[in-house]
Amino acid sequence: MAVAIIGVGININQSAFDPEIRNAVSLKQVTGKNYDAIKLSAELHKIILSKINELEKGNFTKLFEQYNEKLFCREKTVKLKKGNIVFETKIIGVSQSGELITKDAIERRFGFDEVEWVLSREL
């Protein structure tokens, strides 16, 4: 029997973060609304169980496509940094092996932690 343990961390109603923490944001900051943490966790639990059920049914391809459809900044041009080089590229998706797929002059694939997001305030 295969077992996986996952952890999810979501900043819910926090309105300020230590400036030393890069890229931290909360649902409240993004939506402008306050959330009931217990209700939100129950909804998240229900969604996660439904996705696990889909996987158990063998619907990996469907879930993978849904993931890529909702991927943050998909089809948008962003600034990434690899080593000391900052470049603009378009987010295309994520491969089945977890690589970030981008396209500029050529299609590129990046493994975990190979590139980092460059926010405009860092330029």
Side-chain angles (χ1 to χ4, degrees):
M1 172 187 203
V3 175
I5 298 174
I6 60 171
V8 178
I10 301 174
N11 296 315
I12 301 171
N13 293 317
Q14 194 165 344
S15 56
F17 293 90
D18 183 324
E20 297 291 317
I21 302 172
R22 292 183 50 198
N23 305 331
V25 68
S26 70
L27 288 174
K28 179 178 181 176
Q29 289 175 309
V30 172
T31 66
K33 296 188 254 179
N34 280 309
Y35 292 86
D36 178 326
I38 301 300
K39 182 179 176 185
L40 189 64
S41 67
E43 290 175 24
L44 182 60
H45 180 254
K46 183 178 176 181
I47 292 167
I48 290 171
L49 288 179
S50 74
K51 299 302 179 189
I52 290 170
N53 188 37
E54 289 292 319
L55 281 173
E56 288 173 340
K57 290 179 182 177
N59 293 332
F60 174 79
T61 302
K62 175 184 170 187
L63 290 170
F64 180 70
E65 289 170 358
Q66 289 174 346
Y67 177 84
N68 268 307
E69 286 171 10
K70 303 231 185 263
L71 185 64
F72 181 66
C73 284
R74 182 174 168 264
E75 297 299 323
K76 293 186 180 174
T77 299
V78 299
K79 288 188 180 184
L80 299 178
K81 181 178 178 183
K82 182 173 181 177
N84 292 325
I85 300 170
V86 175
F87 57 97
E88 286 191 352
T89 190
K90 185 181 201 180
I91 302 290
I92 302 300
V94 173
S95 72
Q96 288 190 8
S97 62
E99 298 165 304
L100 176 66
I101 304 168
T102 70
K103 185 167 177 73
D104 39 75
I106 60 171
E107 182 177 290
R108 303 171 192 265
R109 291 174 179 246
F110 301 101
F112 180 75
D113 221 15
E114 193 174 341
V115 291
E116 62 184 89
W117 200 270
V118 177
L119 298 175
S120 58
R121 69 175 184 252
E122 294 178 15
L123 298 175

